Amino acid sequence: MALSAAALLNRLQAFDGKAVTLLGEIEAEYRGEANYLDALIALAAHDQAEVSSGATWLIKAALEGGEALSPAQSEALWDEIPAIRYWQAQLHVCQSAAHLTFSADGAATMDRWLTPLLHHDRPFLRAWSVDAL
């Protein structure tokens, strides 16, 4: 049975936005499962800040650990990116940009999404948005 976004959602709702130990436990438990990255992508733009931040942190960790998104997963992520509105999740996406491959549409989506972040209140997010661009 494949991992579902609902199973990850249950775990991510316990994340307080700070203690990444829980995220490490989620990663250890689910990484390598079928649909792991698909489920995380589906939660990247969740309306709860902690869920969105946790999902994008886990995507970033997977990419930094050598995982790669398939073309279909990349397209799914581009579909989610415009709705990612919490600064922590936005930061994780910016930090992941170097590990992502972009279609022409994906690059255009990133450009539109990143440009306003260049003037964000958070200096670290501004810096990483420049890096991502």
Side-chain angles (χ1 to χ4, degrees):
M1 185 162 122
L3 175 67
S4 70
L8 272 178
L9 175 60
N10 287 336
R11 295 293 306 276
L12 286 171
Q13 286 178 322
F15 179 51
D16 66 0
K18 296 180 182 105
V20 296
T21 306
L22 174 68
L23 299 179
E25 292 170 5
I26 292 170
E27 181 180 31
E29 183 176 347
Y30 293 117
R31 189 170 183 177
E33 293 266 339
N35 299 334
Y36 175 65
L37 289 172
D38 296 317
L40 291 174
I41 291 167
L43 294 169
H46 195 273
D47 60 0
Q48 286 180 292
E50 292 78 10
V51 172
S52 179
S53 177
T56 54
W57 188 95
L58 288 165
I59 292 168
K60 179 173 91 73
L63 294 172
E64 289 173 344
E67 301 268 343
L69 298 184
S70 70
Q73 289 170 327
S74 293
E75 291 305 315
L77 183 59
W78 308 140
D79 289 345
E80 294 296 320
I81 281 177
I84 297 174
R85 64 181 188 264
Y86 299 108
W87 75 267
Q88 301 93 328
Q90 292 171 332
L91 178 63
H92 300 148
V93 172
C94 289
Q95 292 170 327
S96 299
H99 302 283
L100 299 171
T101 56
F102 297 90
S103 66
D105 288 343
T109 297
M110 282 294 281
D111 183 60
R112 284 189 303 275
W113 183 74
L114 287 166
T115 299
L117 297 181
L118 296 172
H119 307 288
H120 198 277
D121 292 341
R122 300 214 174 245
F124 207 51
L125 184 53
R126 287 195 308 263
W128 276 102
S129 66
V130 169
D131 183 74
L133 277 173

